Amino acid sequence: MSTSTDMKRLIRLSAILLQLQTRRLVNANDLAEKFAVSVRTIYRDIRVLDQIGVPIASFEGKGYSLAEGYKIPPVMFTEQEANALITAQQLINLNKDSSLIDTYKEAVDKVKAVLNYSTKDKVELLSKRVAVSPPSIEQPTSNSLAAIQNALTSFNVLRISYRAEGKNESSERLIEPFAFYYSMQQHWTLIAFCRLRNDFRMFRLDRIGAVYPSDLKFAPHQLSLQEYLQEKEKNFISPDKQLS
């Protein structure tokens, strides 16, 4: 086998490890398509990883996953990957939710911590040479995105105080967070099942006055985000139409 082929396989094995680390379940067909190789080649790669001691669990008909508790050493970022994150930070800073801005900054700081010195210097230079035009008018902000994200992935019911468009008073809602939608007006919008309305509704985050966690759980919704948006577009022309 040529040195070039060996190198390609080594890169692919590392990439498969990264996929196993970042996803709960990895499908052989998806990996084959991603790396433009045959499924048989993926099977051989998985066997190689298993032989060198990576504890990979196989689920017939579903795919592969890393054994619970197995940790892979931190991934080193390339200069291009770090640059992409630094550039994206400027766009993140434009969004209307301060919790997302703070969390992203903490994540970028961790990325910077694992860079070598020469790359650190380049990333620092780039961060001072990227700017994005600010919004032309001051718009309301929010600080609840991070808390709602946690509730969404943990299937926790939230109690929120919400002021609907055109109303001066807020109402209390029990909601089941479902998905997020970034509107054409550049607002973060939460799609959630509202127990008051007994249906899915869209809530602009900047109109949520307060978010209160609860111990109540809800069953994962079978509806997909794509299905919801398609249905909303069919009935209301654009997903940006508010129904809360």
Side-chain angles (χ1 to χ4, degrees):
M1 187 176 293
S2 68
T3 302
S4 175
T5 302
D6 286 341
M7 183 58 66
K8 287 180 180 179
R9 187 177 195 187
L10 180 60
I11 293 172
R12 190 173 65 249
L13 288 172
S14 299
I16 291 174
L17 265 177
L18 181 60
Q19 292 292 308
L20 287 166
Q21 187 178 18
T22 56
R23 296 168 57 187
R24 180 184 291 271
L25 198 64
V26 178
N27 183 276
N29 290 319
D30 292 340
L31 290 174
E33 182 177 350
K34 180 177 180 63
F35 300 115
V37 296
S38 67
V39 174
R40 187 185 297 272
T41 296
I42 296 298
Y43 290 155
R44 287 199 293 265
D45 289 343
I46 294 294
R47 283 199 297 271
V48 169
L49 292 173
D50 182 65
Q51 290 168 359
I52 63 176
V54 179
I56 300 175
S58 176
F59 300 90
E60 187 173 355
K62 295 183 178 180
Y64 305 96
S65 69
L66 283 177
E68 186 73 24
Y70 181 76
K71 300 294 183 182
I72 297 175
V75 175
M76 292 300 294
F77 290 86
T78 66
E79 182 179 336
Q80 289 76 17
E81 290 167 341
N83 287 345
L85 292 171
I86 292 298
T87 304
Q89 186 173 15
Q90 301 303 316
L91 300 176
I92 291 291
N93 289 342
L94 279 182
N95 98 92
K96 308 302 188 300
D97 189 90
S98 58
S99 67
L100 179 62
I101 294 173
D102 293 342
T103 303
Y104 191 89
K105 182 181 182 301
E106 291 172 2
V108 169
D109 286 344
K110 291 179 180 179
V111 171
K112 291 178 179 178
V114 300
L115 299 176
N116 58 45
Y117 289 131
S118 62
T119 304
K120 284 181 195 287
D121 292 339
K122 292 180 180 180
V123 163
E124 186 63 27
L125 173 62
L126 182 64
S127 67
K128 298 176 181 177
R129 303 292 177 87
V130 178
V132 178
S133 175
S136 56
I137 58 174
E138 187 173 342
Q139 294 180 320
T141 60
S142 64
N143 188 35
S144 56
L145 182 62
I148 297 173
Q149 286 175 328
N150 290 338
L152 187 154
T153 56
S154 301
F155 305 108
N156 282 113
V157 174
L158 289 176
R159 180 166 61 90
I160 65 170
S161 171
Y162 188 74
R163 181 179 57 80
E165 185 176 7
K167 295 186 178 181
N168 295 323
E169 296 183 356
S170 298
S171 62
E172 296 288 317
R173 310 285 187 98
L174 282 178
I175 61 169
E176 301 171 5
F178 172 66
F180 291 99
Y181 179 76
Y182 197 67
S183 72
M184 290 185 293
Q185 290 77 33
Q186 297 184 324
H187 291 291
W188 276 112
T189 303
L190 169 67
I191 303 169
F193 185 84
C194 178
R195 292 189 172 184
L196 177 65
R197 306 299 188 200
N198 196 34
D199 198 1
F200 285 93
R201 289 291 189 266
M202 298 182 77
F203 301 92
R204 261 181 46 177
L205 263 61
D206 61 331
R207 291 184 180 147
I208 296 178
V211 176
Y212 306 98
S214 78
D215 294 328
L216 297 174
K217 293 282 188 178
F218 64 90
H221 298 287
Q222 298 305 307
L223 179 72
S224 72
L225 176 57
Q226 190 63 31
E227 290 169 341
Y228 173 85
L229 293 177
Q230 287 175 349
E231 185 66 22
K232 203 165 191 303
E233 287 176 354
K234 183 172 65 176
N235 292 330
F236 300 102
I237 300 177
S238 167
D240 291 79
K241 174 73 175 179
Q242 297 290 308
L243 274 180
S244 54

